[in-house]
Amino acid sequence: MELVYPPVVALAKTMFRVLDLKIEVEGGEHIPTTGGAVLASNHSSYLDFIFCGLGAQPAKRLVRFMAKKSVFDHKISGPLMRGMRHIPVDRKAGTGAFREATTALERGEVVGVFPEATISESFTVKELKTGAARMAQEAGVPLIPMAVWGPHRLWTKGRKKELTKRHVPVLIKIGEAIPLPEGATPEAITATLKLRLSSLLDAVQRAYPEKPANDDDRWWLPAHLGGTAPLPRPAAAV
């Protein structure tokens, strides 16, 4: 029985309404209503997991997110994360988290992953870790790409939190499952995932209904769209 997750979802939706966030979800039909799936998203905000979870609501699914262990150690967030059955990741010993996530997938859960591992300060898709592809292959479940755009205006790396900012548009776009052909390497599947995430992210960035108010406000756009976010680092430096 889910005692913690549904009330948290209800509280989040109430806060979205109070702040009048303009949230649009496209492609929710790509998330299966039953059975396991890996939901792989870009990562530009500390709030991404909340909105990725919201993207699964049309399918009536609760997403178990993989998150760094320190979040579970916190006296406030820890009990909530454990109550919602999210999966702690110790980056020094990731095998246990991989095994726990694969087990969750095999029993029919949706597991949320940010394969960039850390927030992309360029607001483009960084080089990806292969874990999402390996989990999907191991558990024999769909690998579903998702792009989220907008929450970084509320809270992202290197910027002051503005959690009470009102009327912010948030676009969530979910793509079709990525093929997992027999014999394909995790690296090849991850390369396809990067292309798909980049395409989805570009689509929501170009469809975003607001523009920066002035030059100082251009920080939340990537450089290739006229923003002042840092340029992506070369792959060799990631």
Side-chain angles (χ1 to χ4, degrees):
M1 177 179 284
E2 298 284 350
L3 297 177
V4 178
Y5 214 144
V8 170
V9 171
L11 177 61
K13 288 181 175 179
T14 298
M15 290 303 301
F16 298 156
R17 287 194 294 269
V18 169
L19 295 174
D20 192 32
L21 301 187
K22 310 297 185 181
I23 302 170
E24 295 183 17
V25 179
E26 181 183 349
E29 69 276 7
H30 297 310
I31 298 179
T33 55
T34 60
V38 176
L39 193 58
S41 174
N42 70 302
H43 199 14
S44 60
S45 168
Y46 292 112
L47 304 174
D48 285 336
F49 73 97
I50 298 174
F51 293 94
C52 288
L54 186 68
Q57 285 292 292
K60 295 182 170 57
R61 303 303 302 272
L62 298 175
V63 183
R64 315 299 175 183
F65 285 98
M66 302 185 75
K68 59 185 180 181
K69 182 177 177 293
S70 60
V71 179
F72 291 79
D73 294 336
H74 191 275
K75 63 181 180 180
I76 296 175
S77 63
L80 287 173
M81 295 294 281
R82 288 189 291 273
M84 290 185 282
R85 306 212 311 267
H86 295 313
I87 300 168
V89 178
D90 183 346
R91 290 177 181 168
K92 295 180 181 179
T95 304
F98 181 88
R99 191 175 298 118
E100 184 177 347
T102 303
T103 300
L105 291 166
E106 290 172 341
R107 68 170 179 258
E109 301 273 16
V110 177
V111 173
V113 181
F114 298 104
E116 293 167 282
T118 58
I119 286 175
S120 171
E121 296 178 73
S122 68
F123 305 141
T124 60
V125 179
K126 296 164 53 177
E127 292 303 305
L128 308 183
K129 306 294 185 182
T130 59
R134 290 188 292 115
M135 286 190 297
Q137 287 182 300
E138 179 79 15
V141 300
L143 174 60
I144 302 169
M146 165 189 278
V148 180
W149 185 244
H152 65 300
R153 297 178 64 193
L154 302 173
W155 190 13
T156 191
K157 190 173 182 179
R159 302 289 304 189
K160 182 180 177 181
K161 285 185 286 189
E162 294 190 78
L163 299 179
T164 58
K165 188 177 180 69
R166 293 172 55 80
H167 316 303
V168 174
V170 174
L171 302 186
I172 303 165
K173 190 175 178 67
I174 303 154
E176 296 180 359
I178 291 170
L180 304 175
E182 187 174 350
T185 65
E187 290 76 16
I189 293 169
T190 300
T192 300
L193 174 61
K194 186 175 189 295
L195 290 173
R196 294 280 293 277
L197 284 178
S198 296
S199 177
L200 290 168
L201 181 59
D202 185 65
V204 290
Q205 287 173 337
R206 293 183 185 278
Y208 199 69
E210 286 192 8
K211 304 298 180 188
N214 49 50
D215 281 349
D216 290 339
D217 196 38
R218 289 166 53 218
W219 67 267
W220 55 265
L221 277 182
H224 72 277
L225 292 179
T228 55
L231 289 169
R233 287 184 292 169
V238 174

